[in-house]
Amino acid sequence: MKKSADGSEETRILEKTLKSLDVRREAPISVFILLFLLYLAAAFTVGVTAGSHKEIVINSIHVPVYVFAGVFSSLSNLCIIIMVIFCGKPGFITSSIVIMIQLPLIFAGVVIRGNYTSIPGIFIEFLTLAAVIVIYYNNAKLEKYQLRLREQATTDPLTGLPNAFAITELLDELIKHNKPFAVATIDVNDFKSINDTMGFDMGNKVLVAIASRFKEIADKGLSGTLDFIARLSGDEFSLIIRNYTSEKDNENTLKQYEAAITDKISIEGYDFFVNSSFGYAVFPSDADDRDSLISYSVAAMKEIKRIKSSDHILRFSSELKTENHFIVYNKVREALENDSVFFYLQPQYDISHKLRGFEVLARMKDSDGTFMRPDIFIPAAERMGVIDALDQQVYNKSSSFFGDLIKKTGTKIMLSINVSVRHMMKSNFIEEIREMLKNSQIPASQLEIEITESILIESAEKAANILNELKEMGIRIAIDDFGTGYSSLSYLNSFPSDTLKIDKSFIDKMNTSVSSQKYVEAIISLAHVMDFKVVAEGVETDDQLRTLRDISCDYIQGFIWGRPLPKEEAEKLVIEAAG
Ligand code: C2E
Ligand code: CA
Ligand code: CA
């Protein structure tokens, strides 16, 4: 953990965290002082009473005062023993010094002053010394064991980082102090595939390597903020960020951890290219209790993973809280009833930037006029069993627009539509498509149907029949999101497809790792051998574009050359391209 100006606080809180696990606690300094004073008083009284020749009368019996010396001597020894038991090392040192001073004094009293009544005192001193030593070493052994126990309870045995328990303890402590901090949940993407392909041992080594990179940043304070990193479980880590001055600082810190994990990890001659998803929530603005902070950071992490953005860091927002399935279901139902599902068109270009066509993307508006996200309402429509109705609205509207556009401009570009498996497997799907072509007058050769790879493989035989029929009609078939499912090109060979769309996640990784680039290159050359055309999806940067050009990708679809557009703007684009 970072030791900075605030390092003492850090250590203190951690210490406190560990202390809460103590079975045996050291007594506070006040007890030590009290015992010591009591000892001094008793020892002083021993001195006074031992040398006294006076007598006191109790019930008319004359009792010499010196007999009380033994009582006070026992009391002083008791103080010493209690001190060792309850005051740890300081108690032990003080007691030992006291005995070392007392012993020669008593001894001298016997030898020089002939004070023979003190002889038993010498034995008592020796016995006390033995007791002090035995107690101290016994306690030390117990403490060591306890320390190990404490460490085990707060440390993750694989990586040596603090564990989930330590994180919750620290969060509780920080919330009590009421100073702002951010808590992030970090999840390694696709970690399962490392375990599956390379075995658990190798998976563990990768985790250890990641942990040590994280630890280095936290320990050396490389991020500029005060960081506490822990491993929650499996491939999940948690990071607490403090001492930041702005929201930007948090982002920068998280980016640093992201970069650390993205750098190539080499183990036993194997290179791993790993990336991760980061979600975080801020105290007290996002939530002011420990459980909400953790669950919000997890929700944000899951969200950024789900939307497959090229950003891998997301702060929690209240929208994530309200994304209730039932609300979405109602909105979908309403939109279908009102026939208000519409479409945007995202241009696809060939590598020389010539317009190849458009992909039709479904759109729905919320009651406040903002767009709802397709990756939320499409899966909802699928679950509700109304995806065919939704597709139908999109197909009707987009095909009638595109048919008119062909009539107007004579354009030869392609229209790509998405189909969900549930929809495609319906008995009248082919009829629907035939009807659509007839009504819109779009030539079959200008229609492409996109279907995701995993769907094909799950329902292989029936899917192949349907695709064959579509193909016979002259329609092109595109395999969508290639790389996210089984990614078996040879398997795809058994499907009558023409286009392969490489998923954005591969395009994203391409310029950060040579192996990903090589992978995309291999897909493209194999696809070409098998007579597929290849579309790269989600191209955003010049670097990606350059690489894709170098490795002979056929088509580009991505924000770099065109975002999804309303139909009027798409029309303008076609007219410009024709002119
Ligand atoms: P998809 O088929 O993979 O569509 C591409 C998605 O990637 C679109 O998201 C598009 O806006 C986004 N995209 C394209 N280029 C970039 C880029 O450079 N950067 C980033 N960050 N994103 C880019 P969208 O419109 O949100 O659609 C999400 C998914 O919803 C689609 O993924 C598709 O699977 C499904 N979908 C969309 N429209 C329909 C439809 O009419 N019917 C069915 N069944 N599914 C649809
Ligand atoms: Ca698509
Ligand atoms: Ca896609």
Side-chain angles (χ1 to χ4, degrees), residues 348 359-361 416-419 450-452 479-481 501 537 557:
Q348 297 176 339
E359 177 179 356
V360 181
L361 295 163
S416 305
I417 56 173
N418 289 286
V419 66
E450 296 190 5
I451 172 158
T452 60
I479 308 298
D480 206 356
D481 303 337
K501 299 190 77 179
E537 285 191 289
Q557 179 180 350

Side-chain angles (χ1 to χ4, degrees), residues 145-259:
Y145 172 72
Q146 196 172 67
L147 218 72
R148 226 181 52 220
L149 217 83
R150 273 177 9 179
E151 231 172 72
Q152 276 170 5
T154 51
T155 311
D156 164 51
L158 178 68
T159 61
L161 290 182
N163 62 10
F165 180 79
I167 274 281
T168 50
E169 288 283 300
L170 184 57
L171 282 176
D172 287 345
E173 229 3 82
L174 292 174
I175 289 169
K176 251 192 259 162
H177 282 75
N178 207 21
K179 272 197 199 157
F181 64 88
V183 53
T185 300
I186 307 168
D187 189 88
V188 181
N189 295 339
D190 252 347
F191 183 72
K192 192 177 168 295
S193 69
I194 299 182
N195 269 343
D196 288 349
T197 53
M198 306 293 293
F200 280 105
D201 263 3
M202 191 54 98
N204 282 350
K205 285 178 185 158
V206 172
L207 285 176
V208 170
I210 293 170
S212 85
R213 289 183 184 182
F214 282 174
K215 194 167 181 314
E216 191 182 354
I217 301 178
D219 283 354
K220 295 189 178 161
L222 301 178
S223 58
T225 46
L226 180 62
D227 308 336
F228 182 91
I229 180 85
R231 177 171 172 233
L232 291 182
S233 64
D235 59 348
E236 264 188 21
F237 294 85
S238 182
L239 179 68
I240 295 177
I241 308 171
R242 284 178 288 159
N243 286 10
Y244 52 85
T245 45
S246 67
E247 176 61 14
K248 196 103 204 90
D249 287 353
N250 281 334
E251 292 265 336
N252 286 341
T253 292
L254 291 171
K255 276 189 188 144
Q256 198 148 359
Y257 284 85
E258 190 199 352

